[in-house]
Every structure is written in structure tokens, then in C-alpha cells.
Amino acid sequence: MIQFYKKRDFGTFISDSFNFFKLYGKNYFKNYILINGLLLILMVTVVIFGYKELFSQIFASNLGGETYYFEQYFSDNAGMLITVGILTFLLFMVLMIVNYLYPVFYLKRIAQGAEKIKTDEILNDFKSNAGRIAKLCLGMIFIVTPAILFIVGFSYILIFIIIGFFLILLLYPTIFNFTTFLMYDYFNSNRGFWESLSYALRSQFSYPNGSEKSPFWKYWGSAFVMFIIVYMITSIFTFIPMIFFYGSLLTSTPDGNFEQNPFTGAAGILFFVFYGVSMLISFFLSNLMYVNAGLMYYDSRTDLHQKAELAEIDTIGINE
């Protein structure tokens, strides 16, 4: 059993993240698939067929000598594209809510002493927190996201003077930790949105008592390592379809049809199938980052560490 409320160093964050899945992985992903599986399948299906249609139109338009064919396609199918776009956006929003908050609710129950979580328990957590989830979504959309876009956009501008590149390396893991801390704190404490927002930001740079060494670098380093691990694994599945795609371009006999629309036929289908598989794998692997961020959040809650240790001592006496 993993002790959540305790101080960890950089290496322990990484090892305990993997240990978590060794201990709870089977139950964790079973519930994850039951709750999120249908949403994932729908999202991947929409993306595969939507991207296939979109790329097919792009390659079949100007390459065919018809300058305005692509624009005409959009004007002729405007209603359908708007409807599909709205449905895709709504589906993506629901998927993101479930994908982000599932680890929060799961870890909360495990940290409270549960050993095996049932799907109904997680679903009840979503239902009972529906109001807070709605408030969190509004805060993320209208407050957090615009601020993040401004900061990231400014950093990209600074790339022209080199310093922006290093700022982006610092920002991405920090922003990820900040947003996940916000979600963990909002559903693990009695604080409101603004209070949790303040805590999520302050906890990146200092512990609540203010007398201990800043945890920034161990939080940043742990998130950065997880990003690299997930990126390397998902890149394998991204490169496979690209190899098939460019291999088909280089080895096929030119007949004009394939060059006009290389996304048709077996090569095109294979490309988007692998792309869909890559999406699914990235969603599953993202749980490694969310759990890692959860361990960082519990590390930051030094106000609960002693209580957790005392509770653990009490349970030892009971078990004996």
C-alpha cells in the first residue's frame, strides 16, 4: 500500500508513480475503461474519419488543378461541418473532464484508505460533484486558459531572442502541475475555486509553512521526466504510420491518382488506424502524468502529513 501524505524527493515521485500502477493498475484501468471507454472510442472514430475526409479534400483540391475546390467543399457542406464541429467539441469537453478528474477521484479514495475501487463509486463522485465540476470548467475556460495562452504566447515571441525556448521548457511542466494541483485541491479540500487556484500557484514554489526548501525543481523535474517518457512511447506509434505513408509515396508506381490523394486505399486506412491507436495510447499513458502530479499534490499538503502518520499508526494497532 502506498502512503500518499508524505514528503517525497524527485526520484521517489517517479518510482512511486510506477509502483502505484503495479499495485492498483488492474483495478484503475478496469474502471477507467468502463467509465471512459465509449467516449474514447467515439472520439477516436470521429477524429479518424474527420481527419481522413479533411486531408483527402486538401490533397484532392489544388493538386487537381481546381483552385477553389477546397473552398467550395466547405461552402457546400457548411451545415454538416458546423454540426459535426459542435458535437466533436462537446464530446472532447466531456472526454477531457472525465480524463482529468478520474485520477483525482480515484487517488482521493485510495488516499482515504480504500483498497479496491468500484466503478459505481467513481461515477457517484462525478454525480455528487456535478456543481463543482461545472464551476471548475467555467473557471478553467474563462480564467485559467486565457491566462495560460497569454503567458505561453509571450514566451513564443521571446523565442526570437533565445530566452523564450528556455521559458517554454520551464513553463509547460509548471503549467501542467499548476492545473492538476488546482483540480486535486478543489476536490480534496473545502476551498473554493479562487482559494484552490491560489494554493495551486503558491504550492509550486513553497510549502505552506514557508520554512522548507522550495519544491519547484523536484516538481518540475518529475513532470518533465514523465512528459519525456510518454512522448517517447507515443512517438513510436506516430512514426509507424509516417513510415508506411512515405514508404508508399516512394515505392508506388506514379499513376497520378495516388499522388493526388495519398490518403485513399490501404495506405491511407493504415495511416489513420495507427493515428487512432496513437491517440488511445496517449490517453492511457497520460494517467501516468496525472498520478505523478497527484503524488506531488499530496507531498505539498504538509498540513495533513502528521494526521496521516497518526492514522496509519492507529490502523497498525487495529490490524494486530
Side-chain angles (χ1 to χ4, degrees), residues 108-167:
K108 181 181 179 180
R109 286 188 171 272
I110 294 293
Q112 290 173 344
E115 295 184 0
K116 195 170 184 180
I117 311 298
K118 296 180 180 179
T119 306
D120 291 342
E121 293 174 333
I122 301 295
L123 290 174
N124 287 333
D125 287 337
F126 277 99
K127 292 176 183 177
S128 61
N129 288 283
R132 289 177 68 83
I133 292 173
K135 292 178 183 178
L136 178 68
C137 290
L138 291 174
M140 292 293 290
I141 293 171
F142 295 107
I143 297 170
V144 177
T145 302
I148 290 174
L149 290 176
F150 175 78
I151 295 170
V152 172
F154 183 72
S155 301
Y156 272 107
I157 293 174
L158 293 178
I159 285 180
F160 293 105
I161 55 173
I162 309 300
I163 192 174
F165 175 76
F166 298 102
L167 279 176

Side-chain angles (χ1 to χ4, degrees), residues 37-85:
L38 181 59
L39 289 172
L40 286 171
I41 292 171
L42 287 173
M43 191 65 197
V44 170
T45 302
V46 168
V47 169
I48 288 176
F49 286 100
Y51 272 29
K52 186 176 187 299
E53 179 67 14
L54 182 64
F55 279 107
S56 294
Q57 295 302 326
I58 291 173
F59 274 85
S61 56
N62 292 341
L63 289 176
E66 298 172 333
T67 309
Y68 300 102
Y69 180 78
F70 188 58
E71 292 84 349
Q72 183 181 351
Y73 171 80
F74 272 88
S75 62
D76 292 343
N77 298 277
M80 180 194 71
L81 292 172
I82 292 172
T83 303
V84 172

Side-chain angles (χ1 to χ4, degrees), residues 2 4 16 53 61 106-107 111 150-151 153 157 160 194 215 251 260 280 284 291 295 298-299 302 306:
I2 294 178
F4 287 87
D16 279 359
E53 179 67 14
S61 56
Y106 192 95
L107 262 68
F150 175 78
I151 295 170
I157 293 174
F160 293 105
W194 288 105
T251 58
Q260 275 195 9
L280 283 175
F284 276 89
V291 168
L295 294 177
Y298 292 120
D299 169 89
T302 54
Q306 187 176 6

Side-chain angles (χ1 to χ4, degrees), residues 34-282:
L34 289 174
I35 294 172
N36 214 23
L38 181 59
L39 289 172
L40 286 171
I41 292 171
L42 287 173
M43 191 65 197
V44 170
T45 302
V46 168
V47 169
I48 288 176
F49 286 100
Y51 272 29
K52 186 176 187 299
E53 179 67 14
L54 182 64
F55 279 107
S56 294
Q57 295 302 326
I58 291 173
F59 274 85
S61 56
N62 292 341
L63 289 176
E66 298 172 333
T67 309
Y68 300 102
Y69 180 78
F70 188 58
E71 292 84 349
Q72 183 181 351
Y73 171 80
F74 272 88
S75 62
D76 292 343
N77 298 277
M80 180 194 71
L81 292 172
I82 292 172
T83 303
V84 172
I86 293 173
L87 291 174
T88 303
F89 174 77
L90 294 175
L91 179 62
F92 182 78
M93 286 294 295
V94 174
L95 181 64
M96 288 298 100
I97 290 170
V98 176
N99 212 55
Y100 275 114
L101 294 185
Y102 172 77
V104 174
F105 293 138
Y106 192 95
L107 262 68
K108 181 181 179 180
R109 286 188 171 272
I110 294 293
Q112 290 173 344
E115 295 184 0
K116 195 170 184 180
I117 311 298
K118 296 180 180 179
T119 306
D120 291 342
E121 293 174 333
I122 301 295
L123 290 174
N124 287 333
D125 287 337
F126 277 99
K127 292 176 183 177
S128 61
N129 288 283
R132 289 177 68 83
I133 292 173
K135 292 178 183 178
L136 178 68
C137 290
L138 291 174
M140 292 293 290
I141 293 171
F142 295 107
I143 297 170
V144 177
T145 302
I148 290 174
L149 290 176
F150 175 78
I151 295 170
V152 172
F154 183 72
S155 301
Y156 272 107
I157 293 174
L158 293 178
I159 285 180
F160 293 105
I161 55 173
I162 309 300
I163 192 174
F165 175 76
F166 298 102
L167 279 176
I168 289 170
L169 284 180
L170 285 173
L171 278 174
Y172 275 114
T174 304
I175 288 172
F176 176 80
N177 289 340
F178 162 68
T179 54
T180 48
F181 269 50
L182 169 58
M183 288 180 282
Y184 273 100
D185 190 69
Y186 192 58
F187 294 102
N188 280 272
S189 69
N190 294 320
R191 288 186 272 255
F193 176 80
W194 288 105
E195 292 174 301
S196 291
L197 182 71
S198 174
Y199 177 82
L201 184 60
R202 287 184 287 108
S203 60
Q204 299 304 308
F205 304 98
S206 64
Y207 285 106
N209 56 25
S211 61
E212 299 178 76
K213 183 180 178 182
S214 171
F216 175 79
W217 288 111
K218 69 176 182 179
Y219 289 172
W220 178 87
S222 180
F224 184 75
V225 169
M226 287 301 177
F227 272 123
I228 297 298
I229 292 172
V230 172
Y231 175 77
M232 289 178 66
I233 296 174
T234 53
S235 292
I236 295 173
F237 293 90
T238 304
F239 288 141
I240 289 175
M242 295 304 296
I243 292 171
F244 276 103
F245 177 72
Y246 285 110
S248 299
L249 282 175
L250 295 172
T251 58
S252 62
T253 304
D255 59 359
N257 294 323
F258 182 79
E259 288 73 11
Q260 275 195 9
N261 190 355
F263 294 104
T264 58
I269 294 172
L270 196 62
F271 177 87
F272 286 104
V273 166
F274 271 106
Y275 186 81
V277 171
S278 175
M279 278 188 64
L280 283 175
I281 290 172
S282 66

